[in-house]
PDB file of all heavy atoms in Angstrom:
ATOM      1  N   ALA A 285     -46.393 105.957 120.153  1.00 98.00           N
ATOM      2  CA  ALA A 285     -46.623 104.678 120.944  1.00 98.00           C
ATOM      3  C   ALA A 285     -45.308 104.310 121.700  1.00 98.00           C
ATOM      4  O   ALA A 285     -45.295 104.003 122.871  1.00 98.00           O
ATOM      5  CB  ALA A 285     -47.117 103.606 120.036  1.00 98.00           C
ATOM      6  N   ARG A 286     -44.220 104.303 120.922  1.00 98.00           N
ATOM      7  CA  ARG A 286     -42.952 103.944 121.568  1.00 98.00           C
ATOM      8  C   ARG A 286     -42.484 104.912 122.600  1.00 98.00           C
ATOM      9  O   ARG A 286     -41.921 104.516 123.601  1.00 98.00           O
ATOM     10  CB  ARG A 286     -41.888 103.751 120.437  1.00 98.00           C
ATOM     11  CG  ARG A 286     -42.148 102.578 119.595  1.00 98.00           C
ATOM     12  CD  ARG A 286     -40.826 101.982 119.026  1.00 98.00           C
ATOM     13  NE  ARG A 286     -41.170 101.174 117.833  1.00 98.00           N
ATOM     14  CZ  ARG A 286     -40.260 100.503 117.132  1.00 98.00           C
ATOM     15  NH1 ARG A 286     -38.916 100.645 117.481  1.00 98.00           N
ATOM     16  NH2 ARG A 286     -40.541  99.844 116.042  1.00 98.00           N
ATOM     17  N   ALA A 287     -42.746 106.231 122.345  1.00 98.00           N
ATOM     18  CA  ALA A 287     -42.371 107.190 123.301  1.00 98.00           C
ATOM     19  C   ALA A 287     -43.120 107.012 124.659  1.00 98.00           C
ATOM     20  O   ALA A 287     -42.513 107.076 125.738  1.00 98.00           O
ATOM     21  CB  ALA A 287     -42.575 108.553 122.889  1.00 98.00           C
ATOM     22  N   VAL A 288     -44.345 106.671 124.535  1.00 98.00           N
ATOM     23  CA  VAL A 288     -45.145 106.393 125.718  1.00 98.00           C
ATOM     24  C   VAL A 288     -44.697 105.102 126.423  1.00 98.00           C
ATOM     25  O   VAL A 288     -44.556 105.030 127.670  1.00 98.00           O
ATOM     26  CB  VAL A 288     -46.675 106.285 125.367  1.00 98.00           C
ATOM     27  CG1 VAL A 288     -47.560 105.808 126.538  1.00 98.00           C
ATOM     28  CG2 VAL A 288     -47.209 107.745 124.950  1.00 98.00           C
ATOM     29  N   GLU A 289     -44.524 104.049 125.639  1.00 98.00           N
ATOM     30  CA  GLU A 289     -44.001 102.800 126.202  1.00 98.00           C
ATOM     31  C   GLU A 289     -42.727 103.043 126.904  1.00 98.00           C
ATOM     32  O   GLU A 289     -42.514 102.401 127.964  1.00 98.00           O
ATOM     33  CB  GLU A 289     -43.776 101.776 125.070  1.00 98.00           C
ATOM     34  CG  GLU A 289     -45.044 101.095 124.591  1.00 98.00           C
ATOM     35  CD  GLU A 289     -44.937 100.212 123.419  1.00 98.00           C
ATOM     36  OE1 GLU A 289     -43.781 100.279 122.812  1.00 98.00           O
ATOM     37  OE2 GLU A 289     -45.804  99.542 123.104  1.00 98.00           O
ATOM     38  N   GLU A 290     -41.793 103.767 126.348  1.00 98.00           N
ATOM     39  CA  GLU A 290     -40.456 103.842 126.924  1.00 98.00           C
ATOM     40  C   GLU A 290     -40.325 104.964 127.973  1.00 98.00           C
ATOM     41  O   GLU A 290     -39.560 104.756 128.942  1.00 98.00           O
ATOM     42  CB  GLU A 290     -39.377 104.151 125.772  1.00 98.00           C
ATOM     43  CG  GLU A 290     -39.340 102.926 124.856  1.00 98.00           C
ATOM     44  CD  GLU A 290     -38.280 103.132 123.796  1.00 98.00           C
ATOM     45  OE1 GLU A 290     -37.335 103.873 123.924  1.00 98.00           O
ATOM     46  OE2 GLU A 290     -38.440 102.476 122.719  1.00 98.00           O
ATOM     47  N   LEU A 291     -41.110 105.999 127.929  1.00 98.00           N
ATOM     48  CA  LEU A 291     -40.989 107.074 128.868  1.00 98.00           C
ATOM     49  C   LEU A 291     -42.055 107.019 129.952  1.00 98.00           C
ATOM     50  O   LEU A 291     -41.956 107.638 130.974  1.00 98.00           O
ATOM     51  CB  LEU A 291     -41.023 108.488 128.212  1.00 98.00           C
ATOM     52  CG  LEU A 291     -39.879 108.732 127.267  1.00 98.00           C
ATOM     53  CD1 LEU A 291     -40.101 109.959 126.441  1.00 98.00           C
ATOM     54  CD2 LEU A 291     -38.504 108.900 128.038  1.00 98.00           C
ATOM     55  N   GLY A 292     -43.116 106.207 129.692  1.00 96.00           N
ATOM     56  CA  GLY A 292     -44.247 106.159 130.598  1.00 96.00           C
ATOM     57  C   GLY A 292     -45.385 107.060 130.207  1.00 96.00           C
ATOM     58  O   GLY A 292     -45.129 108.040 129.584  1.00 96.00           O
ATOM     59  N   PRO A 293     -46.526 106.817 130.609  1.00 93.00           N
ATOM     60  CA  PRO A 293     -47.755 107.513 130.106  1.00 93.00           C
ATOM     61  C   PRO A 293     -47.871 108.957 130.566  1.00 93.00           C
ATOM     62  O   PRO A 293     -48.619 109.708 129.988  1.00 93.00           O
ATOM     63  CB  PRO A 293     -48.953 106.651 130.510  1.00 93.00           C
ATOM     64  CG  PRO A 293     -48.406 105.866 131.676  1.00 93.00           C
ATOM     65  CD  PRO A 293     -46.929 105.600 131.327  1.00 93.00           C
ATOM     66  N   THR A 294     -47.143 109.347 131.583  1.00 95.00           N
ATOM     67  CA  THR A 294     -47.222 110.658 132.095  1.00 95.00           C
ATOM     68  C   THR A 294     -46.032 111.556 131.771  1.00 95.00           C
ATOM     69  O   THR A 294     -45.965 112.723 132.224  1.00 95.00           O
ATOM     70  CB  THR A 294     -47.454 110.577 133.622  1.00 95.00           C
ATOM     71  OG1 THR A 294     -46.302 109.937 134.245  1.00 95.00           O
ATOM     72  CG2 THR A 294     -48.670 109.870 134.028  1.00 95.00           C
ATOM     73  N   ALA A 295     -45.109 110.958 130.952  1.00 95.00           N
ATOM     74  CA  ALA A 295     -43.912 111.717 130.806  1.00 95.00           C
ATOM     75  C   ALA A 295     -44.029 112.887 129.794  1.00 95.00           C
ATOM     76  O   ALA A 295     -43.364 113.773 129.829  1.00 95.00           O
ATOM     77  CB  ALA A 295     -42.784 110.800 130.275  1.00 95.00           C
ATOM     78  N   LEU A 296     -45.067 112.805 128.931  1.00 97.00           N
ATOM     79  CA  LEU A 296     -45.204 113.768 127.866  1.00 97.00           C
ATOM     80  C   LEU A 296     -46.292 114.766 128.262  1.00 97.00           C
ATOM     81  O   LEU A 296     -47.443 114.306 128.607  1.00 97.00           O
ATOM     82  CB  LEU A 296     -45.467 113.176 126.536  1.00 97.00           C
ATOM     83  CG  LEU A 296     -44.381 112.202 125.984  1.00 97.00           C
ATOM     84  CD1 LEU A 296     -44.784 111.505 124.682  1.00 97.00           C
ATOM     85  CD2 LEU A 296     -43.105 112.954 125.876  1.00 97.00           C
ATOM     86  N   ARG A 297     -46.027 116.058 128.105  1.00 97.00           N
ATOM     87  CA  ARG A 297     -47.024 117.055 128.378  1.00 97.00           C
ATOM     88  C   ARG A 297     -47.962 117.259 127.217  1.00 97.00           C
ATOM     89  O   ARG A 297     -49.126 117.598 127.368  1.00 97.00           O
ATOM     90  CB  ARG A 297     -46.448 118.307 128.813  1.00 97.00           C
ATOM     91  CG  ARG A 297     -45.882 118.268 130.256  1.00 97.00           C
ATOM     92  CD  ARG A 297     -45.555 119.607 130.837  1.00 97.00           C
ATOM     93  NE  ARG A 297     -44.332 120.056 130.241  1.00 97.00           N
ATOM     94  CZ  ARG A 297     -43.852 121.281 130.415  1.00 97.00           C
ATOM     95  NH1 ARG A 297     -44.563 122.178 131.116  1.00 97.00           N
ATOM     96  NH2 ARG A 297     -42.731 121.632 129.908  1.00 97.00           N
TER      97      ARG A 297
END
Side-chain angles (χ1 to χ4, degrees):
Chain A
R286 290 206 199 182
V288 169
E289 283 172 348
E290 292 182 28
L291 296 170
T294 58
L296 299 176
R297 284 193 285 172

